[in-house]
Amino acid sequence: MATEKTVTPTEEQLEILEYNFCKVNKHPDPTTLCLIAAETGLSEEQTLKWFKQRLAEWRKSEGLPSECGSVRD
C-alpha cells in the first residue's frame, strides 16, 4: 500500500497560495492552477488539495455548506 507524502507549504508558498485564493480566484481553472503550482514549486495535485482544504475552511467561516450545491445539513 503506497502512502502519500504530506508536504507542508513554506511561508513563501503559503503567501502565494493565499494571495491567489483571496485576490484572484477561489476556484482556479486548470491553467491557473498549473501556473500557481509552477510559481509555488508544488505539484498541481498538492496545489489543488490546498485550494480544496482552504475553500472548505472559508465556507465554514462564512457559515456556508461545506460543498457547493449540497443538500446535506
Side-chain angles (χ1 to χ4, degrees), residues 2-67:
T3 57
E4 185 178 321
K5 183 180 177 186
T6 303
V7 175
T8 303
T10 65
E11 192 173 320
E12 185 178 330
Q13 289 169 325
L14 282 174
E15 286 178 19
I16 295 166
L17 292 166
E18 279 292 336
Y19 173 82
N20 282 282
F21 182 83
C22 295
K23 305 284 185 194
V24 179
N25 194 344
K26 290 177 177 45
H27 304 277
D29 60 65
T31 303
T32 303
L33 192 70
C34 181
L35 292 171
I36 295 167
E39 187 178 358
T40 60
L42 298 170
S43 70
E44 287 183 52
E45 292 79 19
Q46 291 166 325
T47 305
L48 179 60
K49 184 176 180 178
W50 184 90
F51 267 87
K52 285 183 177 184
Q53 290 173 338
R54 182 64 180 86
L55 183 60
E57 288 174 16
W58 177 81
R59 292 181 69 79
K60 186 176 180 180
S61 74
E62 295 292 313
L64 299 169
S66 59
E67 292 292 325

